[in-house]
């Protein structure tokens, strides 16, 4: 699968910056770095003729997810596209399109009823509002990208562990059942990558095709993401849930993002046509 250059560039750049960060670290310090490097303004000039900006945003969000860092980058990107006001350069912005929206407690303005999700992110649910399809789609695509990055990071940690862990003189990867589980993880991650890419390809296309791609992506993600997290922990053993382990930072983000999608409520079933011919036409791949 070909990855656009701008996406790969941002992925590599963000990965390099966060390599030295501690988890969970100082949220405000990390956020000031992200804002100072321009990550929060990637989509400020987004238009239908600038899809490469979506590639760049996806690269940054994926890299953060792969590293297990729950920064509100995707939420702020969506809010800025929607025209949200910004009091400071490093303000954390929210918008109803960002499902289970991040409550901006880091700058002291969070509502008192803000809760915490499984990844310890502050959030506040808001009443449903009429949101343009493409803005909702952008929000969901970035959520899928965050899950994809976290899944890639979780699988890498599990793969590293079973390659290094030796029992009876052999690494765990010598066990056929372990190799089978690793193979299933690879398939699951590829499915998540494929449905996310397809939704991105349709972002500026027809409404029906985009809605159908989002409904499909929701279903696939809800199915494979919990399995990725569970299998990664099964391979990694009890060590994976300890505070120091790198694995659980990724899987907590995976489960939290799945919960976020469930809180959104609409599974997109209404976007699936009952007519066979219409359904067949919506399965054609979107333009790259």
């Amino acid at each position: 699968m070909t990855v656009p250059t701008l996406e790969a560039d941002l992925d590599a750049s963000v990965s390099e910056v966060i390599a030295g960060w501690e988890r969970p670290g100082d949220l405000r310090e990390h956020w000031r770095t992200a804002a100072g490097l321009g990550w929060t303004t990637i989509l400020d000039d987004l238009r239908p003729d600038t899809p490469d900006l979506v590639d760049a945003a996806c690269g940054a969000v994926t890299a953060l997810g792969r590293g297990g860092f729950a920064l509100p980058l995707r939420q702020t990107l969506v809010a800025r596209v929607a025209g949200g006001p910004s009091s400071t350069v490093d303000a954390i912005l929210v918008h109803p399109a960002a499902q289970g929206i991040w409550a901006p407690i880091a700058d002291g303005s969070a509502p008192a009823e803000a809760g915490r999700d499984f990844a310890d992110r502050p959030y506040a649910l808001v009443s449903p509002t009429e949101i343009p399809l493409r803005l909702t789609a952008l929000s969901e695509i970035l959520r899928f990208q965050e899950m994809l990055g976290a899944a890639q990071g979780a699988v890498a940690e599990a793969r590293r562990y079973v390659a290094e862990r030796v029992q009876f003189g052999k690494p765990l990867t010598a066990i056929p059942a372990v190799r089978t589980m690793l193979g299933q993880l690879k398939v699951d991650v590829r499915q998540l990558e494929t449905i996310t890419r397809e939704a991105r390809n349709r972002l500026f296309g027809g409404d029906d095709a985009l809605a159908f791609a989002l409904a499909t992506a929701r279903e696939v993600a809800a199915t494979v993401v919990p399995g990725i997290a569970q299998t990664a922990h099964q391979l990694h053993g009890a060590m994976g849930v300890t505070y120091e382990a790198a694995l659980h930072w990724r899987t907590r983000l995976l489960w939290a993002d799945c919960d976020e999608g469930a809180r959104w409520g609409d599974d997109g079933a209404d976007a699936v046509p009952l007519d066979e011919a219409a359904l067949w036409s919506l399965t054609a791949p979107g333009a790259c």
Side-chain angles (χ1 to χ4, degrees):
M1 183 175 295
T2 301
V3 178
T5 301
L6 198 54
E7 180 180 358
D9 288 347
L10 263 294
D11 190 317
S13 177
V14 173
S15 296
E16 182 179 0
V17 171
I18 68 176
W21 286 2
E22 295 183 357
R23 302 179 191 86
D26 185 326
L27 170 65
R28 288 306 297 176
E29 180 181 351
H30 291 170
W31 187 245
R32 280 192 292 267
T33 298
L37 292 174
W39 300 350
T40 60
T41 61
I42 292 173
L43 295 179
D44 281 8
D45 297 319
L46 180 64
R47 302 184 306 275
D49 61 344
T50 58
D52 55 328
L53 296 183
V54 177
D55 296 335
C58 287
V61 169
T62 303
L64 282 173
R66 189 183 304 114
F69 290 100
L71 284 185
L73 178 60
R74 61 183 175 88
Q75 292 88 347
T76 296
L77 286 170
V78 171
R80 291 180 70 97
V81 169
S86 176
S87 56
T88 62
V89 173
D90 61 348
I92 294 174
L93 305 182
V94 297
H95 186 273
Q99 310 159 20
I101 61 172
W102 184 294
I105 68 165
D107 57 14
S109 60
E113 65 272 16
R116 295 272 178 169
D117 68 10
F118 195 65
D120 200 35
R121 298 178 300 191
Y123 72 90
L125 299 179
V126 296
S127 300
T129 56
E130 194 68 29
I131 300 170
L133 173 61
R134 244 150 287 280
L135 188 61
T136 299
L138 176 63
S139 177
E140 290 212 73
I141 287 168
L142 293 178
R143 180 171 66 92
F144 295 143
Q145 289 288 162
E146 186 172 73
M147 285 193 287
L148 175 59
Q152 292 171 344
V155 171
E157 287 299 317
R159 187 178 294 277
R160 177 189 59 78
Y161 179 80
V162 296
E164 296 175 355
R165 184 78 165 89
V166 176
Q167 287 187 348
F168 306 110
K170 294 182 179 180
L172 293 179
T173 49
I175 301 174
V178 170
R179 294 200 299 271
T180 298
M181 294 168 73
L182 288 173
Q184 185 61 54
L185 283 175
K186 185 175 182 179
V187 171
D188 289 344
V189 172
R190 178 53 64 90
Q191 286 189 73
L192 187 58
E193 181 182 11
T194 300
I195 57 98
T196 302
R197 177 71 58 181
E198 186 60 35
R200 284 169 56 182
N201 289 343
R202 300 183 184 207
L203 180 58
F204 295 113
D207 288 359
D208 290 344
L210 175 57
F212 180 76
L214 292 174
T216 303
R218 292 185 197 112
E219 176 63 27
V220 172
T223 300
V224 304
V225 166
I228 291 171
Q230 293 165 10
T231 302
H233 276 285
Q234 186 175 358
L235 288 172
H236 206 286
M239 291 295 294
V241 300
T242 59
Y243 188 84
E244 296 82 3
L247 176 62
H248 86 278
W249 296 107
R250 280 82 173 183
T251 53
R252 287 175 63 185
L253 195 54
L254 281 173
W255 275 311
D257 281 353
C258 268
D259 288 346
E260 184 177 311
R263 284 197 300 267
W264 190 242
D266 179 16
D267 62 4
D270 291 342
V272 181
L274 300 178
D275 179 75
E276 182 178 351
L279 180 62
W280 182 258
S281 68
L282 292 178
T283 61
C288 296

